């Protein structure tokens, strides 16, 4: 017993003070990309050529735009760019309510595009949100970094957010993985079991677009075509802080 | 055993595909059984189309004593005498071949789908299903025990926690489990098939996500395969940084699992301390490469991130503080009678069963088997700096926990020494072109155990076939064994002590 108490004293208080204070992230952290159009030579396309998931798109201009929903944050594009026009930097906050808002270009202002839930939902969930996690065919990286939110480091419970075992006790689903056909039925059944009003949070490149498994015949490319999504959290996997930040913004706690 | 029926290579080497002997099936079967009886284990056994109508099966037999890999092959008939009745470790390999190519291993005692997908050859199906019928995961004839007081408990695929899907069927008498059958396949997302025709932009990222908690292990095996095919020797500093990343991955997972085991027996101090400390090791990986799981740390030809002396200094500071906290947190387990009471004699796997089933990695070492790729088939820096193999003999939950702890101590010492004396060199060199018509094999001791990657190149040096064997593939059946005669309520504890991967198995 005395050893337990001694260890407890030594380990001390370990819960981070985010969101009251900014998080400490490693200096090599690869967060939201910043694109410097001035440095980009038109018709170069090197970044788009190397990208593993087709995340670099040139819709209305020849200049690169990065679709965070597909991006693996691997920085292959930044490495291929001869002019240093793309950089992945420390901005961890990149969630959004709309799929389209995940596309960033040189003019995108830093920061997330999350509006909080509508008034009635916010009244219901703002101080107590129970989520059922559904794992639908990824690599388990997203599950791991979702799971750590319940450790003492992040202590998700202090915000009234909790993962529950039964969908019947849940206010929404947090989905990871590209959704393989074999899991679609289970996902839909779980969704139907959650009492309304309910929300869906898609975590990770897989759940948003299929991630590294995009267009494999075995998978759907994420949840968007299957369920209405309220919050997209990009990353492969997203850093726990990115996930926490997204959820707190949805609940108007940041 | 006639060696002429094999080509022998070392770990991380390649040879010409034509040099792999092609022996008639009966002789292939016979020599495989003999080799396994003589102590070899099956690192990989798979089939690929040789041409439109024929299948060629390859086996990679690992001989731990000589540290050599023996390759042989055969043309696989549509029906053949199953190996499994005489060699249980072939069990899942044969089911996999049957499911993928629609051939029938006759006399296989447990011939059921593995990942629940259609055969890769349209007109052939092992269970004569039509290609138009949908295949539902978990739908098969499960083993059932008969009797008046027998009942069945089914768990999953949707579990209570934040965890991957799998289906578990317990045949029970009261609280006692007579048999557990495990049905997986829910995470199957076509990784191996997508490798064919590569390497391309996505290949690196596919191997990194075979199993998210083993990103370094799988990408290391992949890099070694590529480097074997391109006859490229990477710089010493890159080898050292790779080994440090691999051991960090081991530390993170072992610490996390010990915490979860503590949680499963309701011992909350260690559970909550380790929950945080696992994260410290992930953060150290992120300190090296920016990603907690080590995405993009490794690349064929070396590593992408260096550590200068400032970084090493900061790394060591945080590392030592984490190690000191881990030591306190985990030693509490061994001193707590209530924990030891739940760990000891729970989920025992006997050494003879472990050998027969071909269990690998820490699970095998916890049964007393001395096997570790790092010392039996060393590559890279492990050729020069040895980590001695950690074993314990009781085969129970305690043993699996304790072996983790010894490994934590040894990996810690290994990282500490290595990072202080990083060789001075480049961290990455350009690859030579990959060679055509070769077969390359790489084994890596991931934190769960032996990871095996095999690549076969075609005439244009692209992958004609790619085989991935996650250690979980060898070990899931061991969990079933461990549950025999246990209480249903001990399942979470036994399961965590194995801590196997669903996505690594399902691919
Ligand atoms: S960082 Fe994103 S956009 Fe760049 S290459 Fe990787 S996946 Fe593509
Ligand atoms: S998004 Fe990346 S980390 Fe998450 S499940 Fe998919 S592959 Fe794994």
């Amino acid at each position: 017993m005395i050893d337990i108490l001694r260890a407890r004293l030594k380990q001390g208080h370990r819960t981070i003070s985010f969101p009251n204070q900014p998080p400490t992230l490693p200096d090599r952290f690869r967060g939201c990309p910043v694109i410097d159009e001035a440095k980009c030579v038109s018709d170069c396309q090197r970044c788009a050529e190397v990208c593993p998931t087709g995340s670099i798109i040139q819709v209305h201009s020849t200049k690169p735009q990065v679709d965070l929903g597909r991006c693996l944050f691997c920085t292959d594009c930044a490495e291929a760019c001869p002019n240093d026009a793309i950089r992945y930097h420390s901005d961890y906050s990149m969630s959004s309510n709309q799929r389209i808002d995940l596309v960033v270009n040189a003019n995108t202002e830093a920061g997330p595009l999350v509006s909080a839930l509508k008034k009635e939902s916010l009244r219901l969930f703002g101080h107590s949100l129970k989520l059922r996690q559904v794992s639908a065919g990824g690599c388990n990286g997203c599950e791991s970094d979702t799971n750590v939110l319940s450790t003492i480091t992040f202590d998700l419970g202090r915000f009234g957010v909790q993962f529950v075992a039964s969908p019947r006790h849940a206010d929404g689903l947090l989905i990871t993985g590209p959704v393989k056909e074999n899991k679609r039925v289970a996902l839909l059944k779980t969704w139907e079991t959650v009492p309304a009003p309910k929300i869906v949070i898609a975590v990770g490149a897989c759940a948003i677009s299929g991630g590294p498994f995009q267009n494999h015949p075995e998978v759907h490319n994420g949840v968007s075509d299957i369920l209405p999504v309220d919050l997209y959290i990009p990353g492969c996997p997203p850093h726990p802080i990115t996930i926490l930040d997204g959820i707190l913004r949805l609940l108007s706690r940041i | 055993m006639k060696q002429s029926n094999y080509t022998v290579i070392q770990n991380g080497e390649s040879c010409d595909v034509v040099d792999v002997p092609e022996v008639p099936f009966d002789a292939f079967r016979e020599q495989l059984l003999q080799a396994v009886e003589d102590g070899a284990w099956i690192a990989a056994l798979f089939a690929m189309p040789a041409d439109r109508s024929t299948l060629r099966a390859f086996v990679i037999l690992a001989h731990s004593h000589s540290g050599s890999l023996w390759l042989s092959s055969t043309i696989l008939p549509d029906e053949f005498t199953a190996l499994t009745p005489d060699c249980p470790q072939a069990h899942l390999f044969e089911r996999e071949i049957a499911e993928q190519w629609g051939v029938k291993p006759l006399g296989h005692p447990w011939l059921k789908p593995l990942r629940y997908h259609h055969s890769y050859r349209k007109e052939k199906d092992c269970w004569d299903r039509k290609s138009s019928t949908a295949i539902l995961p978990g739908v098969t004839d499960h083993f059932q025990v008969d009797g008046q007081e027998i009942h069945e408990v089914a768990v999953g695929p949707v579990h209570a926690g934040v965890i991957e899907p799998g289906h578990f069927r317990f045949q029970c008498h009261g609280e006692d489990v007579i048999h557990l059958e495990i049905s997986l396949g829910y995470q199957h997302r076509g990784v191996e098939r997508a490798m064919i025709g590569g390497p391309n932009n996505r290949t690196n990222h596919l191997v990194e996500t075979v199993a998210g908690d083993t990103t370094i292990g799988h990408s290391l095996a992949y890099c070694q395969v590529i480097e074997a095919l391109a006859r490229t020797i990477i710089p010493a500093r890159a080898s050292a940084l790779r080994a440090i990343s691999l051991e960090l991955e081991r530390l993170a997972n072992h610490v996390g699992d010990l915490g979860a085991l503590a949680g499963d027996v309701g011992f909350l101090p260690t559970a909550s301390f380790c929950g945080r400390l696992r994260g410290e090791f992930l953060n150290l990986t992120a300190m090296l490469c920016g990603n907690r799981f080590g995405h993009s740390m490794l690349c064929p030809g070396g590593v992408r991130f260096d550590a200068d002396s400032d970084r090493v200094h900061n790394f060591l500071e945080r590392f030592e503080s984490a190690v000191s906290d881990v030591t306190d947190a985990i030693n509490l387990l061994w001193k707590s009678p209530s924990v030891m009471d739940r760990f000891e004699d729970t989920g025992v796997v006997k050494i003879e069963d472990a050998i027969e089933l071909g269990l690998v990695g820490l699970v095998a070492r916890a049964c007393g088997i001395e096997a570790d790729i790092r010392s039996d088939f060393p590559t890279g820096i492990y050729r020069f700096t040895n980590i001695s193999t950690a074993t314990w003999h009781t085969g129970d939950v305690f043993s699996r926990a304790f072996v983790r702890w010894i490994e934590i101590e040894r990996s810690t010492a290994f990282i500490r020494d290595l990072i202080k004396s990083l060789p001075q060199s480049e961290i990455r060199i350009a690859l030579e072109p990959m060679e055509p018509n070769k077969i390359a094999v790489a084994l890596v001791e991931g934190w769960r155990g032996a990871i095996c990657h095999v690549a076969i190149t075609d005439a244009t040096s692209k992958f004609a076939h790619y085989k991935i064997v996650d250690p979980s593939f060898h070990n899931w059946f061991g969990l079933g064994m461990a549950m025999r005669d246990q209480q249903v309520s001990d399942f979470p504890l036994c399961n965590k002590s194995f801590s196997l991967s669903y996505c690594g198995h399902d691919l």
Side-chain angles (χ1 to χ4, degrees):
Chain A
M1 191 64 200
I2 191 79
D3 289 325
I4 299 178
L5 292 174
R6 201 178 287 135
R8 176 68 190 84
L9 269 179
K10 176 163 171 254
Q11 305 263 348
H13 176 79
R14 296 294 187 157
T15 306
I16 55 170
S17 34
F18 182 82
N20 297 332
Q21 302 211 331
T24 11
L25 291 166
D27 61 334
R28 287 177 173 169
F29 180 75
R30 306 177 223 143
C32 194
V34 177
I35 301 160
D36 186 343
E37 271 194 0
K39 289 187 180 166
C40 175
V41 191
S42 49
D43 298 333
C44 162
Q45 309 267 331
R46 292 272 278 282
C47 54
E49 279 161 19
V50 298
C51 178
T53 51
S55 309
I56 308 249
I57 40 181
Q58 280 119 336
V59 199
H60 297 301
S61 80
T62 54
K63 306 289 180 185
Q65 312 187 47
V66 179
D67 178 1
L68 300 183
R70 278 187 259 178
C71 183
L72 308 179
F73 299 82
C74 66
T75 65
D76 287 356
C77 52
E79 199 181 81
C81 175
N83 302 318
D84 224 5
I86 307 180
R87 278 163 177 263
Y88 287 75
H89 83 146
S90 57
D91 185 3
Y92 58 86
S93 184
M94 6 178 201
S95 306
S96 110
N97 305 109
Q98 304 287 334
R99 178 71 182 83
I100 185 79
D101 290 336
L102 293 175
V103 179
V104 301
N105 58 34
N107 306 318
T108 308
E109 304 226 339
L113 282 155
V114 183
S115 15
L117 290 167
K118 299 224 175 60
K119 212 170 150 208
E120 177 58 11
S121 298
L122 202 58
R123 188 182 66 79
L124 286 168
F125 303 146
H127 295 278
S128 163
L129 177 69
K130 309 289 170 203
L131 293 169
R132 166 71 230 204
Q133 198 274 336
V134 180
S135 176
C139 80
N140 198 32
C142 286
E143 287 86 335
S144 296
D145 263 354
T146 300
N147 237 336
V148 297
L149 293 178
S150 306
T151 63
I152 49 171
T153 312
F154 300 94
D155 192 12
L156 194 60
R158 70 194 150 125
F159 305 105
V161 185
Q162 199 191 350
F163 291 100
V164 292
S166 169
R168 288 184 206 282
H169 301 159
D171 304 314
L173 301 180
L174 184 149
I175 303 167
T176 55
V179 189
K180 75 169 284 213
E181 178 54 22
N182 286 353
K183 197 63 204 274
R184 196 175 59 93
V185 177
L187 174 61
L188 285 173
K189 282 189 178 169
T190 313
W191 166 248
E192 280 155 19
T193 315
V194 178
K198 47 190 164 183
I199 62 170
V200 170
I201 303 176
V203 172
C206 279
I208 304 178
S209 67
F213 318 111
Q214 193 187 113
N215 299 334
H216 285 195
E218 290 84 356
V219 305
H220 295 272
N221 287 339
V223 283
S224 318
D225 293 341
I226 300 167
L227 293 175
V229 178
D230 298 277
L231 179 66
Y232 295 94
I233 306 182
C236 181
H239 192 280
I241 287 286
T242 303
I243 306 177
L244 184 56
D245 172 79
I247 295 176
L248 293 182
R249 284 176 195 277
L250 191 70
L251 299 180
S252 192
R253 304 288 286 269
I254 297 187
Chain B
M1 182 169 27
K2 276 189 277 138
Q3 193 181 330
S4 60
N5 280 345
Y6 291 98
T7 292
V8 179
I9 62 172
Q10 302 286 309
N11 185 13
E13 279 187 357
S14 67
C15 69
D16 287 319
V17 180
V18 290
D19 286 346
V20 179
E22 197 177 288
V23 288
F25 179 77
D26 288 340
F28 177 82
R29 184 178 190 280
E30 211 46 51
Q31 71 185 23
L32 197 158
L33 296 179
Q34 187 61 50
V36 169
E37 201 177 311
D38 293 344
W41 52 278
I42 305 174
L45 173 64
F46 60 94
M48 65 179 284
D51 57 48
R52 259 171 185 277
S53 55
T54 38
L55 269 187
R56 186 171 174 194
F58 287 85
V59 68
I60 318 288
L61 286 165
H63 288 258
S64 302
H65 292 302
S66 60
S68 56
L69 301 171
W70 295 34
L71 279 53
S72 189
S73 77
T74 186
I75 295 297
L76 207 59
D78 278 356
E79 296 189 344
F80 55 89
T81 317
L83 294 150
T84 307
D86 298 311
C87 174
Q89 55 172 287
H91 173 152
L92 284 196
F93 290 108
E94 285 194 310
R95 276 170 69 178
E96 182 182 48
I97 293 173
E99 182 172 48
Q100 291 183 340
W101 305 106
V103 290
K104 294 183 186 173
L106 302 176
H108 192 293
W110 207 262
L111 191 56
K112 306 171 188 202
L114 195 62
R115 304 192 177 102
Y116 298 89
H117 59 72
H118 284 288
S119 153
Y120 296 163
R121 294 198 294 178
K122 270 227 165 60
E123 66 291 4
K124 297 219 153 82
D125 184 271
C126 177
W127 300 275
D128 303 316
R129 298 166 301 187
K130 298 214 170 57
S131 53
S132 51
T133 20
I135 295 177
L136 293 173
V139 179
T140 183
D141 52 330
H142 289 97
F143 180 81
Q144 279 191 316
V145 178
D146 259 350
Q148 257 201 333
E149 291 176 11
I150 299 294
H151 64 108
E152 189 178 74
V153 178
V155 178
V158 177
H159 301 285
V162 180
I163 168 181
E164 297 178 276
H167 182 64
F168 301 84
R169 290 260 181 129
F170 300 88
Q171 306 296 319
C172 306
H173 182 248
E175 273 298 300
D176 294 335
V177 177
I178 299 170
H179 179 75
L180 158 64
E181 182 168 354
I182 303 167
S183 259
L184 303 176
Y186 298 89
Q187 296 285 78
H188 178 56
R189 56 217 185 280
V191 173
E192 279 181 347
R193 273 213 294 182
M195 297 290 288
I196 293 171
N200 56 35
N201 288 352
R202 213 189 277 182
T203 315
N204 250 339
H205 308 290
L206 269 182
V207 290
E208 283 181 344
T209 51
V210 164
D213 53 24
T214 316
T215 298
I216 298 287
H218 278 285
S219 48
L220 180 54
Y222 168 73
C223 288
Q224 292 188 349
V225 156
I226 298 285
E227 286 146 14
L229 291 169
R231 297 205 180 279
T232 301
I233 294 177
I234 63 160
R237 193 177 179 88
S239 274
L241 287 165
R242 282 180 176 185
I244 289 168
S245 313
L246 186 70
E247 298 309 323
L248 272 179
E249 186 166 271
R250 195 179 322 278
L251 287 177
N253 283 295
H254 281 4
V255 169
D257 281 347
L258 286 169
L261 283 169
D264 276 336
V265 299
F267 188 67
L268 297 185
T270 303
S272 54
F273 298 155
C274 287
R276 167 181 79 86
L277 290 163
R278 167 179 167 273
E280 285 301 307
F281 293 106
L282 297 177
N283 289 340
L284 284 166
T285 302
M287 188 173 177
L288 292 179
C289 74
N291 180 288
R292 285 159 48 95
F293 296 89
H295 285 214
S296 297
M297 175 70 194
L298 273 57
C299 59
V303 293
R304 277 174 53 162
F305 298 91
D306 202 355
D308 60 15
S309 55
D310 278 353
R311 194 169 297 270
V312 168
H313 181 80
N314 291 338
F315 179 98
L316 273 172
E317 213 166 276
R318 288 177 60 180
F319 180 76
E320 295 302 354
S321 124
V323 169
S324 147
D325 286 353
V326 161
T327 309
D328 294 339
I330 290 173
N331 277 329
L332 291 179
L333 290 176
W334 324 129
K335 291 185 206 154
S336 305
S338 60
V339 171
M340 293 304 281
D341 182 52
R342 292 282 276 115
F343 280 13
E344 281 175 340
D345 299 323
T346 306
V348 177
V349 180
K350 293 206 251 11
I351 184 165
E352 52 271 30
D353 292 338
I355 293 172
E356 282 258 297
L357 292 171
L359 303 188
V360 299
L362 83 92
V363 167
R365 292 193 283 279
C367 299
I369 300 174
E370 216 165 297
D372 188 322
I373 304 296
R374 290 171 294 173
S375 40
D376 301 341
F377 304 87
T379 54
I381 211 79
Y382 296 104
R383 285 204 177 105
F384 312 108
T385 11
N386 189 25
I387 295 194
S388 52
T389 303
T391 59
W392 194 252
H393 57 279
T394 47
D396 50 4
V397 171
F398 166 74
S399 194
R400 290 185 283 277
F402 194 60
V403 167
R404 280 183 170 89
W405 169 234
I406 311 174
E407 294 191 6
I408 289 172
E409 288 183 307
R410 296 190 180 163
S411 296
T412 306
F414 177 88
I415 293 177
R416 186 182 288 132
D417 286 352
L418 195 54
I419 204 160
K420 283 185 195 153
S421 56
L422 283 177
Q424 295 301 327
S425 72
E426 298 286 293
I427 56 160
R428 183 178 181 179
I429 55 165
L431 285 180
E432 299 295 321
M434 276 169 48
E435 295 182 326
N437 302 316
K438 293 273 180 188
I439 176 166
V441 186
L443 291 176
V444 166
E445 186 71 28
W447 65 272
R448 286 191 180 91
I451 296 168
C452 179
H453 283 215
V454 186
I456 295 179
T457 53
D458 62 15
T460 64
S461 302
K462 292 290 188 188
F463 294 142
H465 200 76
Y466 201 95
K467 182 83 210 96
I468 298 171
V469 188
D470 187 85
S472 309
F473 192 80
H474 298 278
N475 284 358
W476 271 109
F477 212 84
L479 174 59
M481 283 305 288
M483 276 310 292
R484 292 203 175 166
D485 299 328
Q486 298 297 304
Q487 305 251 299
V488 187
S489 52
D490 277 332
F491 177 64
L493 185 59
C494 288
N495 190 21
K496 196 69 226 172
S497 73
F498 277 74
S499 192
L500 301 175
S501 172
Y502 300 72
C503 53
H505 170 281
D506 290 350
L507 296 172

